[in-house]
Amino acid sequence: MDNGQRTTDKKMTDQGSVGIVKTQTCTLVQPPETFVLENRAELSPITVAYETYGTLNATRDNAILVIHSLTGDAHAAGRYSEEDKYAGWWDPIIGPGKPFDTNKYFVICCNNLGGCKGTTGPASINPRTGKPYGMSFPLITMGDMVEVQKKLIDYLGVKSLVAVAGGSSAGMKVLEWGLRYSHMVRSIIPIATGYCVTPQGIAFHKVAQEAIMADPNWNHGDYYGKQAPKKGLAIARMIGHITYLSDHSMWEKFGRRHLNPEKMKHDLTSPFDVERYLEYQGEKFVQRFDANCYLYLLRAMDLYDASEGYSSLEESFRRITCKSLIISFAGDWLFPPYRSEELVRALRANGSYVEYYNINSLYGHDAFLLEYHKFGPLIRRFLARVTGEEEQNIEGLREYEIAPSEGLLT
Amino acid sequence: MDNGQRTTDKKMTDQGSVGIVKTQTCTLVQPPETFVLENRAELSPITVAYETYGTLNATRDNAILVIHSLTGDAHAAGRYSEEDKYAGWWDPIIGPGKPFDTNKYFVICCNNLGGCKGTTGPASINPRTGKPYGMSFPLITMGDMVEVQKKLIDYLGVKSLVAVAGGSSAGMKVLEWGLRYSHMVRSIIPIATGYCVTPQGIAFHKVAQEAIMADPNWNHGDYYGKQAPKKGLAIARMIGHITYLSDHSMWEKFGRRHLNPEKMKHDLTSPFDVERYLEYQGEKFVQRFDANCYLYLLRAMDLYDASEGYSSLEESFRRITCKSLIISFAGDWLFPPYRSEELVRALRANGSYVEYYNINSLYGHDAFLLEYHKFGPLIRRFLARVTGEEEQNIEGLREYEIAPSEGLLT
């Protein structure tokens, strides 16, 4: 979950780039108007950072919303300048000729409510106090984030969406789009996700929360203008990175290599390579992310349950009347294939059109930000089917890359 | 890894208990004599806490060494008093008529070197300073712990061991007994273990280490007589507990239940049941364990590699000439079955006698402290084979409980 700070896939960049892009900002809710959250708390103003690629057509129905995962941002594709080393986080599949083909589609991405990348969140100024909200920010839900995205879609003049797509926690928002707005969404593409976080997931989030709150600099969330709780946030992030990789990919990437075999015999902290990786990821993360935001976003994930208020997931999913493309990765243990299979079964029980692929990958959860050549073609073909275009040749899609379904619950 | 603080299995307690026991202490190394560690550092004195059950026979060859896992202690069986609510940590399989049958065997268990339950460790007094060692305690290895166990065995007058047994990190010491002392050990029983910790395991330990060291009370290990780093240690322990359970057992135990559905909509910290469990485990742990000890014991695990110094595990394992019973649990993701299969393959390649069972269990790693009725009978039969007794009727052993081998590396 590197937010695109990887070199992009060669095969994909042979196709076009969206080029130089700029993050836009708009204020969707202005005082005295307020936005009423699911828990009845009110929030105002709400500013949203977003990017768009491609052109909205005359009938305003060629838009696709892509949603970033936990700590991402609106910068899904392109580069900020010619010198920019890193492209947007899903750049390999967004652009002219790419699966999310900007020659055809108007692709939209925004920073989620509760974030710290231009959209209103716990680090934003509370107009009542003139200071950052911190822990006085109201608890937000996946549903709240979706409603803010809906406001952005309306603001941009979009009438209907060809697809809503995203991986991991974004996949939950994708599901929620299907549940709330199937009448204006032709398809959903939830990737490496589930209808809720498992108790194990909640447990990992708990440890992250504890690590942040135990940092004396956290100071009950009131650290703006002072030392931020960087140590606690770095520890929290390390836990995340363990869950994003797999046992196998860690063997491949790091093995049991270490920096200094001699020092290691005497010094408790002489690091293995995998430890240096975690340290690096922790340090990098605290430069770009806010600790309170992290707490709120983890909690929104914990609270999400697409079956809530219904007797079963199947009953809840009757509201999803659009088409679905569901993708999981065999090596993903944060959202293992069985979590996707739960979605597939509930949708199919209602007679919905569902394509499901469990992709052979040893990269773990991170595969949705890496294995573009495997799932990109699936997205391309699915979108062609959704829009009624002639089916594309699925270049690069090899049958063996689709792993047999192996859910625990089947 | 509750150190026996569970109600014991009914089926097992129908058989005899070792009764009321007392932890003994002996000093195995006295100044000016010193114990030379693997890293050439010297340590003295070395005191060891231990318990024994049953009677050493005249030929002094009926002893079994059971080894506790990471944070356990010498109290493997029996109770300290009639009122004692909790029996020792492996009580269901140690006692008269139980798999480790104290009518036949002289069972020994000691607190490991580096621990804080009566054996010399970082919390012990450094005779040179009159203060606890803290971080001045030398780095210790699994091999060092085994050498101290060997000294205890000699001290107790034991000539040879029928078996050395233990689960998780204790399984590594069991392997090391086989590697070093096959001439005096008739069998080894490593359970839910591997020849080393995976990079993922090292990564979890890293987060635990960071959490302890980030606690201001840790104070570079110098906290004795002051506030201990309880918060950091509790967080470290929470991570451990996540890895001891499984995704499945967490669904079973906690699901997504939470304390207060209404409060939860507004309060970021209103807990799910799984979070309360982790809090409870964290709090309980800091009452009984020392943070520096935890750091040293995690590190000893990280450093262990039974193949070190050899071109392959197979070559290293040529030193293991005794019989082996290897047990893994299908739902264990900390030491998954493939880790046991690595051991089995390396031993079988040398023509060694190996029994291997992968037990169907959804309890995760904790199964070695829970599924006694499944692996107890296997131990009983194996010991009968080792000692040449008539084979026991394997009461309670049902074939379906043995899962097919499903290692990634096969």
Side-chain angles (χ1 to χ4, degrees):
Chain A
M1 314 251 280
D2 259 8
N3 298 289
Q5 294 187 24
R6 305 174 183 279
T7 52
T8 50
D9 188 293
K10 278 217 177 349
K11 214 179 285 176
M12 293 293 160
T13 47
D14 290 340
Q15 294 161 336
S17 164
V18 298
I20 307 301
V21 299
K22 208 182 151 207
T23 306
Q24 314 283 320
T25 303
C26 62
T27 298
L28 296 175
V29 179
Q30 286 268 27
E33 188 202 356
T34 62
F35 179 79
V36 180
L37 300 165
E38 281 200 68
N39 66 3
R40 315 307 302 161
E42 295 179 32
L43 193 62
S44 183
I46 295 178
T47 298
V48 171
Y50 68 97
E51 295 186 10
T52 68
Y53 324 106
T55 312
L56 185 62
N57 63 7
T59 45
R60 296 183 285 140
D61 61 2
N62 69 329
I64 290 176
L65 176 66
V66 300
I67 305 179
H68 69 75
S69 57
L70 197 62
T71 64
D73 55 32
H75 186 42
R79 290 166 202 268
Y80 288 134
S81 68
E82 294 291 351
E83 296 73 40
D84 192 351
K85 268 172 75 185
Y86 301 113
W89 56 269
W90 245 7
D91 188 84
I93 51 171
I94 301 172
K98 293 179 182 175
F100 293 114
D101 189 346
T102 51
N103 290 331
K104 297 177 191 167
Y105 308 118
F106 177 60
V107 179
I108 304 160
C109 183
C110 72
N111 185 215
N112 294 327
L113 180 69
C116 55
K117 297 292 174 180
T119 294
T120 300
S124 302
I125 297 297
N126 179 348
R128 287 196 209 161
T129 62
K131 292 179 189 168
Y133 284 100
M135 294 301 282
S136 73
F137 196 74
L139 220 60
I140 50 167
T141 64
M142 292 291 180
D144 294 327
M145 298 184 208
V146 164
E147 290 307 317
V148 170
Q149 290 166 340
K150 172 64 166 56
K151 279 186 179 291
L152 175 68
I153 298 302
D154 293 343
Y155 168 86
L156 293 172
V158 171
K159 224 171 87 185
S160 73
L161 290 158
V162 174
V164 182
S168 195
S169 65
M172 295 174 167
K173 286 181 268 287
V174 171
L175 292 174
E176 200 57 30
W177 266 94
L179 290 168
R180 292 178 184 227
Y181 296 109
S182 265
H183 60 280
M184 64 169 287
V185 172
R186 295 169 74 183
S187 73
I188 55 172
I189 309 178
I191 303 175
T193 194
Y195 74 89
C196 66
V197 175
T198 60
Q200 190 182 63
I202 295 171
F204 280 122
H205 293 173
K206 167 69 169 178
V207 177
Q209 184 194 78
E210 289 277 340
I212 291 169
M213 292 186 168
D215 188 324
N217 290 335
W218 181 64
N219 191 29
H220 298 279
D222 182 12
Y223 53 79
Y224 300 101
K226 305 170 206 161
Q227 289 282 339
K230 289 191 174 180
K231 191 74 203 176
L233 183 58
I235 295 173
R237 185 60 171 181
M238 289 182 192
I239 298 159
H241 273 279
I242 298 174
T243 65
Y244 304 152
L245 300 178
S246 66
D247 180 37
H248 185 279
S249 67
M250 280 191 165
W251 273 114
E252 292 277 311
K253 249 176 130 94
F254 315 109
R256 290 179 44 86
R257 288 185 301 278
H258 40 72
L259 192 60
N260 188 332
E262 196 46 43
K263 195 175 172 204
M264 183 148 234
K265 293 177 191 168
H266 302 277
D267 179 355
L268 194 79
T269 58
S270 178
F272 283 87
D273 284 4
V274 64
E275 295 181 289
R276 293 165 67 203
Y277 171 82
L278 292 179
E279 281 172 15
Y280 169 76
Q281 292 294 345
E283 282 160 23
K284 206 174 70 170
F285 185 64
V286 300
Q287 302 309 319
R288 73 171 177 87
F289 216 80
D290 176 72
N292 288 333
C293 286
Y294 201 61
L295 292 175
Y296 276 82
L297 295 175
L298 289 182
R299 203 56 182 183
M301 255 183 107
D302 292 345
L303 293 176
Y304 186 69
D305 181 348
S307 71
E308 202 178 319
Y310 291 82
S311 66
S312 66
L313 188 63
E314 186 184 320
E315 197 197 307
S316 170
F317 275 13
R318 283 197 193 128
R319 293 174 287 164
I320 302 181
T321 53
C322 61
K323 290 184 165 67
S324 305
L325 167 62
I326 294 174
I327 296 170
S328 61
F329 299 95
D332 182 354
W333 66 278
L334 187 58
F335 285 100
Y338 86 84
R339 306 303 316 281
S340 285
E341 289 171 21
E342 289 169 343
L343 304 178
V344 173
R345 271 200 303 281
L347 288 167
R348 287 199 177 143
N350 296 323
S352 297
Y353 176 90
V354 185
E355 292 185 25
Y356 170 53
Y357 302 97
N358 181 33
I359 292 180
N360 264 332
S361 169
L362 295 166
Y363 285 111
H365 189 59
D366 259 353
F368 83 96
L369 295 168
L370 288 167
E371 299 270 36
Y372 298 112
H373 65 290
K374 294 185 182 174
F375 68 86
L378 297 171
I379 291 174
R380 183 193 299 279
R381 182 176 64 182
F382 175 74
L383 291 175
R385 287 173 177 168
V386 167
T387 56
E389 282 176 48
E390 202 174 320
E391 275 204 17
Q392 303 284 325
N393 176 27
I394 311 303
E395 195 197 327
L397 177 66
R398 294 180 293 262
E399 273 314 312
Y400 72 87
E401 281 168 352
I402 310 303
S405 160
E406 47 164 346
L408 292 172
L409 301 184
T410 47
Chain B
M1 314 249 280
D2 260 7
N3 298 290
Q5 296 187 18
R6 303 174 184 280
T7 52
T8 51
D9 188 293
K10 278 218 175 351
K11 211 180 286 178
M12 293 294 161
T13 46
D14 289 342
Q15 294 161 336
S17 164
V18 299
I20 306 301
V21 298
K22 208 182 151 207
T23 305
Q24 314 284 321
T25 303
C26 62
T27 298
L28 297 174
V29 180
Q30 287 268 28
E33 188 203 355
T34 63
F35 179 78
V36 180
L37 300 165
E38 280 200 68
N39 67 2
R40 315 307 301 160
E42 294 179 32
L43 193 61
S44 184
I46 294 179
T47 298
V48 171
Y50 68 96
E51 295 186 9
T52 67
Y53 323 105
T55 312
L56 186 61
N57 63 8
T59 45
R60 296 183 284 136
D61 60 2
N62 69 329
I64 290 177
L65 175 66
V66 299
I67 305 178
H68 70 73
S69 57
L70 196 62
T71 64
D73 55 34
H75 186 43
R79 292 166 201 267
Y80 288 134
S81 68
E82 294 291 352
E83 296 72 39
D84 192 351
K85 267 172 75 183
Y86 302 113
W89 56 268
W90 246 7
D91 187 84
I93 51 172
I94 301 172
K98 293 180 182 176
F100 292 114
D101 189 346
T102 50
N103 291 331
K104 297 176 189 170
Y105 308 118
F106 178 59
V107 179
I108 304 160
C109 182
C110 72
N111 185 215
N112 295 326
L113 180 68
C116 53
K117 297 290 172 182
T119 294
T120 301
S124 302
I125 298 296
N126 179 348
R128 287 196 209 161
T129 63
K131 290 178 188 168
Y133 284 99
M135 295 300 281
S136 75
F137 197 74
L139 219 61
I140 50 167
T141 64
M142 293 291 180
D144 294 327
M145 297 183 210
V146 165
E147 290 307 316
V148 170
Q149 289 166 341
K150 172 66 166 59
K151 278 185 179 293
L152 175 66
I153 298 303
D154 293 343
Y155 167 86
L156 294 172
V158 171
K159 223 171 89 186
S160 73
L161 290 158
V162 174
V164 182
S168 196
S169 65
M172 295 174 166
K173 286 181 267 286
V174 171
L175 292 174
E176 199 57 29
W177 266 95
L179 290 167
R180 294 180 184 225
Y181 295 109
S182 265
H183 61 279
M184 64 170 286
V185 172
R186 295 169 75 181
S187 73
I188 55 172
I189 308 178
I191 303 176
T193 193
Y195 73 89
C196 65
V197 175
T198 59
Q200 190 182 64
I202 296 170
F204 280 122
H205 293 172
K206 167 70 171 177
V207 176
Q209 184 194 77
E210 290 277 339
I212 291 169
M213 292 185 168
D215 189 323
N217 289 336
W218 180 64
N219 191 30
H220 298 278
D222 182 13
Y223 53 77
Y224 300 101
K226 305 170 206 161
Q227 287 284 338
K230 289 193 175 181
K231 190 76 203 173
L233 182 58
I235 295 172
R237 186 59 172 182
M238 289 182 192
I239 298 160
H241 274 279
I242 298 174
T243 65
Y244 305 152
L245 299 179
S246 67
D247 181 36
H248 186 280
S249 67
M250 281 191 165
W251 273 115
E252 291 277 311
K253 249 175 129 92
F254 315 110
R256 290 177 47 83
R257 288 186 300 278
H258 40 71
L259 192 60
N260 188 330
E262 196 47 43
K263 195 175 173 205
M264 184 149 233
K265 294 178 188 166
H266 301 277
D267 179 355
L268 195 76
T269 57
S270 179
F272 283 87
D273 284 4
V274 65
E275 295 180 289
R276 292 165 66 203
Y277 171 81
L278 293 179
E279 281 172 15
Y280 169 76
Q281 292 294 346
E283 282 160 24
K284 204 173 70 167
F285 186 63
V286 300
Q287 302 309 322
R288 72 170 178 89
F289 216 78
D290 175 72
N292 288 333
C293 286
Y294 201 61
L295 293 175
Y296 275 82
L297 295 176
L298 288 181
R299 203 55 180 184
M301 253 184 108
D302 292 345
L303 293 175
Y304 187 68
D305 182 348
S307 71
E308 203 179 319
Y310 292 82
S311 66
S312 66
L313 188 63
E314 185 184 321
E315 198 197 307
S316 170
F317 275 12
R318 282 198 193 127
R319 294 174 286 164
I320 302 182
T321 54
C322 62
K323 291 183 165 67
S324 304
L325 167 63
I326 294 175
I327 295 171
S328 62
F329 299 95
D332 182 354
W333 65 278
L334 186 59
F335 284 99
Y338 87 84
R339 306 304 316 282
S340 284
E341 290 172 19
E342 290 169 343
L343 304 179
V344 173
R345 271 201 302 282
L347 287 167
R348 287 200 176 141
N350 295 324
S352 297
Y353 176 89
V354 185
E355 292 184 27
Y356 170 54
Y357 303 96
N358 181 34
I359 291 180
N360 264 332
S361 169
L362 296 165
Y363 285 110
H365 189 61
D366 259 353
F368 83 95
L369 295 169
L370 289 167
E371 300 270 37
Y372 298 112
H373 64 291
K374 294 185 181 175
F375 68 86
L378 297 171
I379 291 173
R380 183 193 300 277
R381 182 175 63 182
F382 175 75
L383 291 176
R385 286 172 178 168
V386 167
T387 55
E389 282 177 47
E390 202 174 318
E391 275 203 18
Q392 302 284 326
N393 176 29
I394 310 304
E395 196 197 328
L397 177 66
R398 294 180 292 261
E399 272 315 310
Y400 72 87
E401 281 168 352
I402 309 302
S405 161
E406 49 165 345
L408 292 172
L409 300 183
T410 46

